[in-house]
Amino acid sequence: MGGYSLNILVTLDQNYFPQLQVMLTSLKMNNPGEQFSLYLLHNHLPEPMLEAVDKWCGQAGYGFFPVQMDEELFRSAPASSRYPVEMYYRLLAAWMLPEDLDRMIYLDPDTLVINPLRPLWETNMTGWLFGAAAHTGKTEFANDMNRLRLRVEHDYYNSGVLLMDLKLGRQEILPEKIFQHVEEHRMELVLPDQDLLNALYGERIFPLDDALWNYDARNYNNYLMRSSGKCNVKWVMENTGILHFCGKAKPWKPGYIYRFGMLYQHYMQLAMRDWGQEG
């Protein structure tokens, strides 16, 4: 697409727009000289928000391509307040994005990009639908529980950062199969979009190193222990590409207790300047 080199996908509603601004600011600051094409899948995001992103991308030298949801694609999709239609977006991105796109990095808006993304973009995952990381932790208890719950043998992969092979996705990912799975397993889906990724496509996921590409910001002590002290704060700042603020506790809310909350607050201030919102 034009002269842009790395494709980034985000999906969100208007409630997460401030976090999108923070994530994009961190992306720009820590990928100097890199060109991005930003794709935004949305369902009627307010026009002023789209205009703000378009203006920011223009100033950053990025391409911006908003894609409004194709309602016809989701006409038969099971949806409710617990299962909003947005949960399907990242899994069906191959069907909603331009057909000339082959590869995409999906990022949740509650992430920070603190080092270059090109090594992730250039990861060789030939033959795999997705690249994703599992948050196994030290004891792997949650990982094992999710395996048992979904009756799968592979690790339980987090869906907040995905490297996507869109060309393969158009061949292998069928919307009707996803909708049927939701209809048949409604009572078993705890984290719906993540459960769907694992239950239907877990065997087609190339494992990424979570310490590099989907670092769970709550689990600093686990990373430190499992690396025998190697993955300290200095290592994270020098090597980790993506910090992910998983779970209900969020660093933009009061009372956040985890180690990288101050770093997130720093990028919040930088984002206010970057998006012209100071004062």
Side-chain angles (χ1 to χ4, degrees), residues 35-53:
Q35 290 184 304
F36 292 96
S37 291
L38 177 68
Y39 291 84
L40 170 62
L41 294 180
H42 69 99
N43 182 15
H44 302 294
L45 202 64
E47 195 62 33
M49 292 184 178
L50 294 175
E51 291 173 356
V53 179

Side-chain angles (χ1 to χ4, degrees), residues 100-268:
D100 61 338
L101 296 176
D102 293 336
R103 177 167 285 215
M104 186 71 64
I105 296 174
Y106 168 84
L107 296 175
D108 268 355
D110 61 349
T111 56
L112 282 181
V113 179
I114 62 172
N115 276 299
L117 288 187
R118 182 159 286 279
L120 174 61
W121 178 257
E122 293 179 349
T123 298
N124 183 356
M125 52 171 253
T126 302
W128 300 90
L129 270 177
F130 299 101
H135 291 153
T136 56
K138 183 66 176 175
T139 65
E140 299 200 356
F141 176 73
N143 192 46
D144 289 343
M145 287 298 294
N146 284 315
R147 283 173 169 173
L148 183 64
R149 181 171 60 84
L150 296 178
R151 297 184 289 276
V152 296
E153 298 295 324
H154 54 76
D155 282 338
Y156 183 77
Y157 295 101
N158 182 274
S159 62
V161 178
L162 297 172
L163 185 59
M164 301 175 162
D165 187 323
L166 299 176
K167 188 174 182 180
L168 273 182
R170 295 182 195 102
Q171 300 171 18
E172 298 187 29
I173 297 175
L174 303 177
E176 56 271 22
K177 183 178 179 181
I178 294 175
F179 302 155
Q180 180 182 352
H181 187 88
V182 174
E183 195 66 64
E184 293 175 354
H185 298 274
R186 281 177 180 266
M187 302 307 295
E188 303 163 34
L189 300 178
V190 178
L191 300 168
D193 52 349
Q194 197 158 274
D195 285 353
L196 284 172
L197 173 73
N198 281 275
L200 292 174
Y201 307 110
E203 300 291 346
R204 303 287 292 113
I205 293 176
F206 176 82
L208 299 175
D209 184 347
D210 62 321
L212 293 176
W213 300 120
N214 193 336
Y215 185 106
D216 187 338
R218 301 167 296 182
N219 289 338
Y220 174 77
N221 289 335
N222 282 341
Y223 288 106
L224 196 64
M225 284 189 293
R226 82 188 205 203
S227 67
S228 300
K230 175 185 174 184
C231 294
N232 55 22
V233 171
K234 184 176 185 292
W235 186 94
V236 170
M237 297 305 296
E238 292 176 351
N239 295 278
T240 295
I242 301 167
L243 284 177
H244 190 184
F245 294 87
C246 310
K248 292 183 179 180
K250 298 297 185 185
W252 57 88
K253 294 181 179 180
Y256 189 78
I257 63 172
Y258 300 104
R259 187 171 299 259
F260 294 101
M262 188 69 74
L263 181 65
Y264 193 90
Q265 293 285 335
H266 175 63
Y267 277 100
M268 285 177 62

Side-chain angles (χ1 to χ4, degrees), residues 1-8 34-39 57-58 60-65 101 118 121:
M1 300 291 293
Y4 307 109
S5 55
L6 276 69
N7 301 319
I8 303 293
E34 197 69 82
Q35 290 184 304
F36 292 96
S37 291
L38 177 68
Y39 291 84
C57 283
Y62 299 167
F64 178 50
F65 307 96
L101 296 176
R118 182 159 286 279
W121 178 257

